Amino acid sequence: MHPFEGISEQHTQTIMKARKRVIEAIGKNMGLYGVTLSVGHLYGMLFFSEKPMTLDEMGKEMEMSKTSMSTGVRMLLDLKMVHRVWEKGARKDLYEAESDWHQTFADYFAIEWRTAVEANVHALNRSAGELRRLLEEHGGDEALASAVSKDLEKIESALSYYDWLDRLIDTLESGKIYDLVPKEKP
Amino acid sequence: MHPFEGISEQHTQTIMKARKRVIEAIGKNMGLYGVTLSVGHLYGMLFFSEKPMTLDEMGKEMEMSKTSMSTGVRMLLDLKMVHRVWEKGARKDLYEAESDWHQTFADYFAIEWRTAVEANVHALNRSAGELRRLLEEHGGDEALASAVSKDLEKIESALSYYDWLDRLIDTLESGKIYDLVPKEKP
DNA sequence: AAGTTTGTACAGTTTTTTCTGTACGTTCTA
DNA sequence: TAGAACGTACAGAAAAAACTGTACAAACTT
């Protein structure tokens, strides 16, 4: 990261310091996306890099092993926070940070939260089915019916929440969210 | 967790199995809220418990130390996923899972994401200020102006995103989100 | 086809996090 | 006011994770 040809040492320092503050902040808060401090830092670095970077360049800049860069980049790729870039006759793979953070946010939900919703809904439906069957077959048993009904209520309430969450994620994924909450300040 | 008085062993098994599946799924996916598998599991357990639980009861049920229950509960309290319950002349503290998951979801953003937004915005503004000053004072320097402008653009784009995210969180916190994405299926 | 170069799998090490047991301050009981 | 019970701070042990170096397969160069 020395893109500052023709710029004095002092001004370079100022720019680097400004960048570093932001990178640090980003890195620290990317725990919300389930990534390490160092992976967050890697993203921040790529965010400011004006040209796509290779694994070797990242490793040098971060003072970390190439292996770590490889796994770090893969995580960021999975989250769609980074994408591979093609360049004429390039030997090495090149990576670039996704700069549209609205998109990144939406992707995160479409990828991670959607998966969780599906897994939970699956479990909830399965259990709800079993409980409903129990209720059908032994509905006469007062104590049983009462206990099962309580659980079923909780499960149904959870399912209703996930239904809503799923629709919320839909609006993020489709971009319809920007009709509801506009990008530009009202 | 043996609320099943007057229910046969076999039916108790069925209910427990249904619960366990859900608790497991919940626990597994609560990593999205930044908590451990075991804390997620604790939450799931509380979710199905029909009466509020004490730390000792949780420890017994989870087969974990009371200390772990204490710290686990505090995390869940911080996330507002669990709240303390008052009971007539109770020696021990009692805790209960927040059952409104819409609220839990909203609180999570209001608590964790809002904090992150604020920290990042702070850093971005600070750095933007420094860069703008640099630009004002040495705008004549072609190379400098070009480099600084690129960084400023990125920062401003990020700030614009955070402004949007902040407003999105507002709609979650105020409940206005349910006008935009209704709880009930359309 | 031989020789490089590149990215990643894997095993081992280091670091971090999670969990436990003890100790102690606080609050309730008698 | 003495005694017991409760919750948590803290330090150490156990478990999990992050990170590194080596080794190797795939792709490219010549």
Side-chain angles (χ1 to χ4, degrees), chain A residues 133-144:
Chain A
R133 189 140 41 89
L134 197 60
L135 208 52
E136 271 175 34
E137 290 174 7
H138 305 82
D141 185 335
E142 187 67 38
L144 180 71

Side-chain angles (χ1 to χ4, degrees), chain B residues 31-159:
Chain B
L32 291 176
Y33 290 94
V35 302
T36 322
L37 187 71
S38 66
V39 174
H41 203 97
L42 173 61
Y43 175 82
M45 207 188 67
L46 285 167
F47 176 68
F48 275 115
S49 171
E50 44 281 296
K51 42 185 191 318
M53 291 179 78
T54 67
L55 291 179
D56 287 310
E57 287 167 344
M58 297 178 209
K60 193 173 177 190
E61 186 74 20
M62 300 264 303
E63 298 183 40
M64 285 179 70
S65 73
K66 195 175 176 179
T67 303
S68 292
M69 294 305 98
S70 178
T71 62
V73 162
R74 186 164 44 223
M75 285 180 201
L76 293 172
L77 280 173
D78 289 346
L79 286 166
K80 298 198 184 181
M81 290 183 170
V82 153
H83 47 91
R84 200 168 290 151
V85 163
W86 187 88
E87 206 165 84
K88 49 169 185 174
R91 306 272 296 116
K92 311 187 180 189
D93 290 356
L94 288 162
Y95 301 95
E96 172 176 87
E98 171 60 58
S99 58
D100 182 349
W101 289 7
H102 298 277
Q103 190 60 48
T104 297
F105 181 79
D107 284 337
Y108 171 61
F109 276 88
I111 296 165
E112 305 282 327
W113 284 73
R114 185 87 79 184
T115 309
V117 167
E118 278 163 10
N120 285 358
V121 164
H122 181 77
L124 286 162
N125 276 330
R126 227 175 135 75
S127 289
E130 287 174 9
L131 293 179
R132 267 194 281 269
R133 188 142 42 88
L134 197 60
L135 208 52
E136 271 174 33
E137 288 172 7
H138 305 84
D141 184 336
E142 187 68 39
L144 180 71
S146 161
V148 170
S149 296
K150 276 180 199 157
D151 280 19
L152 265 176
E153 250 173 69
K154 288 177 184 177
I155 289 176
E156 272 151 19
S157 152
L159 279 169

Side-chain angles (χ1 to χ4, degrees), chain A residues 143-162:
Chain A
L144 180 71
S146 161
V148 171
S149 295
K150 275 179 200 159
D151 280 18
L152 264 175
E153 249 173 67
K154 288 177 183 177
I155 289 176
E156 271 151 21
S157 152
L159 279 169
S160 156
Y161 158 73
Y162 281 123

